[in-house]
Amino acid sequence: MDLVVENVGRRSSQWGKAGDPTDVGENSLNGYERNALFRGRGDGRFEDVAHLVGADRIEDGRAVVVADFDRDGRLDLLIQGLDRPVVLLMAQGGGGHWLALDLVGKGANPDAVGASVVARVGEKRHTRQRVVGTGFLSASSPVLHFGLGEAQQVDALEIRWPDGERQTLRDVRADQWLVVRQGEGVAAR
């Protein structure tokens, strides 16, 4: 049995070029769908808040980048759709305290890819890992961002570098962007 695909791209025929089922002309394989943005509720569940921040755009989304573009401590979103202009959604409004860490490793891994950081704030622990290639056709900022809520400081930052070395920073003031060099020290950025 031959499969006939109707109204796909500019042609109405059997499979696309040379029998390729992924060749759908100018259309998408998944169509136009609303974007979703999930916020953690703090109890292990998440809720979609895209409609609250203007991210629930109906388009053929391809890439999203999460970064603090204006360095105000709030994470912004850059969204790219197929054949669409890039959209930058800047985080607005209040918020709690924050801490941003840019890690610099040594040796063959100066980008510190694979490093993990645990921020201890009272009884809470927040964990981040330095990764690259975070999405399809995009990569978010490698800077590790910690939302601290009402806390004005981090009691301890425990860094495990990719080569196994450990480094601990104590009583780190909130609302700053720091560069941490492996085995050395910390500098404000």
Side-chain angles (χ1 to χ4, degrees):
M1 176 173 110
D2 290 332
L3 177 63
V4 177
V5 180
E6 296 294 330
N7 299 320
V8 176
R10 293 186 186 163
R11 58 185 172 272
S12 176
S13 64
Q14 293 181 338
W15 295 116
K17 298 175 191 167
D20 180 0
T22 63
D23 179 10
V24 293
E26 294 180 11
N27 292 328
S28 166
L29 287 172
N30 63 338
Y32 290 80
E33 302 170 4
R34 280 198 182 278
N35 293 334
L37 178 65
F38 295 98
R39 175 176 57 194
R41 296 171 42 137
D43 61 1
R45 295 183 296 163
F46 294 85
E47 60 187 338
D48 186 358
V49 295
H51 64 285
L52 298 176
V53 299
D56 66 336
R57 307 163 58 80
I58 298 176
E59 60 190 13
D60 193 3
R62 288 294 186 235
V64 63
V65 172
V66 179
D68 185 359
F69 287 99
D70 57 0
R71 295 186 55 179
D72 65 355
R74 294 186 298 261
L75 294 174
D76 310 305
L77 299 175
L78 184 130
I79 301 171
Q80 174 66 59
L82 181 65
D83 297 326
R84 301 272 189 177
V86 172
V87 175
L88 179 58
L89 301 175
M90 301 298 290
Q92 302 290 312
H97 296 285
W98 56 276
L99 182 66
L101 297 178
D102 194 0
L103 303 178
V104 180
K106 57 184 177 181
N109 189 0
D111 293 327
V113 175
S116 63
V117 179
V118 175
R120 288 190 10 238
V121 180
E123 296 299 315
K124 293 184 179 181
R125 291 176 174 255
H126 307 274
T127 304
R128 302 288 182 271
Q129 186 171 19
R130 181 83 171 239
V131 296
V132 294
T134 55
F136 179 65
L137 298 177
S138 63
S140 293
S141 171
V143 174
L144 304 180
H145 185 276
F146 294 89
L148 303 175
E150 298 298 318
Q152 296 182 17
Q153 79 170 22
V154 173
D155 298 324
L157 282 172
E158 300 164 353
I159 304 167
R160 190 175 68 75
W161 296 95
D163 65 4
E165 183 179 332
R166 295 181 183 272
Q167 188 172 351
T168 301
L169 308 172
R170 300 204 182 280
D171 302 323
V172 179
R173 184 177 47 83
D175 303 328
Q176 59 179 334
W177 191 310
L178 299 175
V179 177
V180 181
R181 296 183 181 282
Q182 181 177 1
E184 295 177 23
V186 180
R189 185 169 169 200

